[in-house]
Amino acid sequence: MTDSWPLLLIDWYRAHARVLPWRNPPGAALPDAADWPYRVWLSEVMLQQTTVEAVTPYFRAFTARWPNVAALAAADDAQVMQAWAGLGYYARARNLLACARAVVAQHGGRFPGTEAELRALPGIGDYTAAAVAAFGFGRDAVVIDGNIERLTTRLFGIVTPLPAARGAIRDALGAVLPVAQAGDFAQAMMDLARRVCTPRNPQCLLCPIAAACAARSAGNAEDFPVKPAKRARPTRQGTAWWIEVDKHVLTVQRPAKGLLGGMRALPSCDWKGLGAQPPLPGDWRLLGAVQHGFTHFELELRVQALWLPERSLLQPAIAGADWVPVAEIASAGLPTLFAKAAALGQTAIRGELAA
Ligand code: SF4
């Protein structure tokens, strides 16, 4: 590892830095304005999960309308929400207001400068606290976002998978942090990661710190950051019930809470096994099973069918029941899992009728 790479990187940044309304020009002293940390904080909250291009007009509009944290804290909630519309993730806007009001109530309308104090404010996590400390106050804070994680694991050849690698990344960057230049260093890392050390096809030939890069010399940059091995998802089992009367099939509205909450579906059990009793006694036929993947598990849902001669035999009555013509069940707006089950029901019925 070439020891001087942080300074080479800062030199590159000074020559290539983008001009942004919340960014202090590289190498310049921080603005001596009380509202500067406010501008840094506002930009960082806006930039979470949103691009620089999308944020820029919002940032200009917000700072024109609410030029400091006290003005934002005194703003009407509805007006702030309206001004935020289009940036998405409204929880961030609510946290924005909560944080501005906490800064006024707890710190006299001036952002505190230490990471610990910043982290204690609503909506401020490790990354934003470090960013405001470094970019807003010139503190020697180690700023780490996803882009910096990728770049650092490549530079140092850190093979520990994320997120376990975060301690090693912090230690590696803390050890090389250029004194009194933490802000420029972090901005440089971010710019290099976005423009050169990209997730796919990093431009190592254009990289100002290629000589110091472990992944570059090993020729395996795209192997970093190492991802944790995927855990196999468990398989759960359950039963759905196809109840048909006079070419209409029974659907219900699922409980508001839980998976597929509030959606129309075939009646089904709680997917905790195959032991559930059908909603009414009768000559149930097993039609088969469908598979469906949820985020945390695979579901094998078997489908049982019952054909009744009239609806009054459905006792006890099922709350929220709605009868859908069998021929229209595919367009009834069922979620994918139940659309698969319904397709099985339709196919089986045709077989039954043809038999
Ligand atoms: Fe990224 Fe390549 Fe530069 Fe290494 S040499 S930091 S992999 S762009």
Side-chain angles (χ1 to χ4, degrees), residues 41 69 94-104 111 121-124:
W41 161 77
V69 69
R94 284 191 285 277
N95 273 332
L96 192 81
L97 271 173
C99 184
R101 288 168 184 162
V103 169
V104 170
F111 270 89
L121 291 166
I124 295 191

Side-chain angles (χ1 to χ4, degrees), residues 214-283:
R216 160 76 169 152
S217 63
N220 61 351
E222 287 198 18
D223 292 346
F224 295 92
V226 177
K227 307 255 180 11
K230 277 193 180 160
R231 271 190 297 174
R233 287 183 297 184
T235 298
R236 288 166 61 177
Q237 292 180 306
T239 306
W241 293 291
W242 176 276
I243 303 171
E244 185 181 328
V245 180
D246 189 23
K247 296 195 171 94
H248 285 67
V249 62
L250 182 91
T251 65
V252 295
Q253 188 170 24
R254 292 181 57 77
K257 285 194 175 168
L259 280 169
L260 311 178
M263 301 188 81
R264 192 142 286 281
L266 299 181
S268 80
C269 71
D270 56 6
W271 310 343
K272 289 182 178 167
L274 297 178
Q277 289 300 310
L280 69 159
D283 183 19

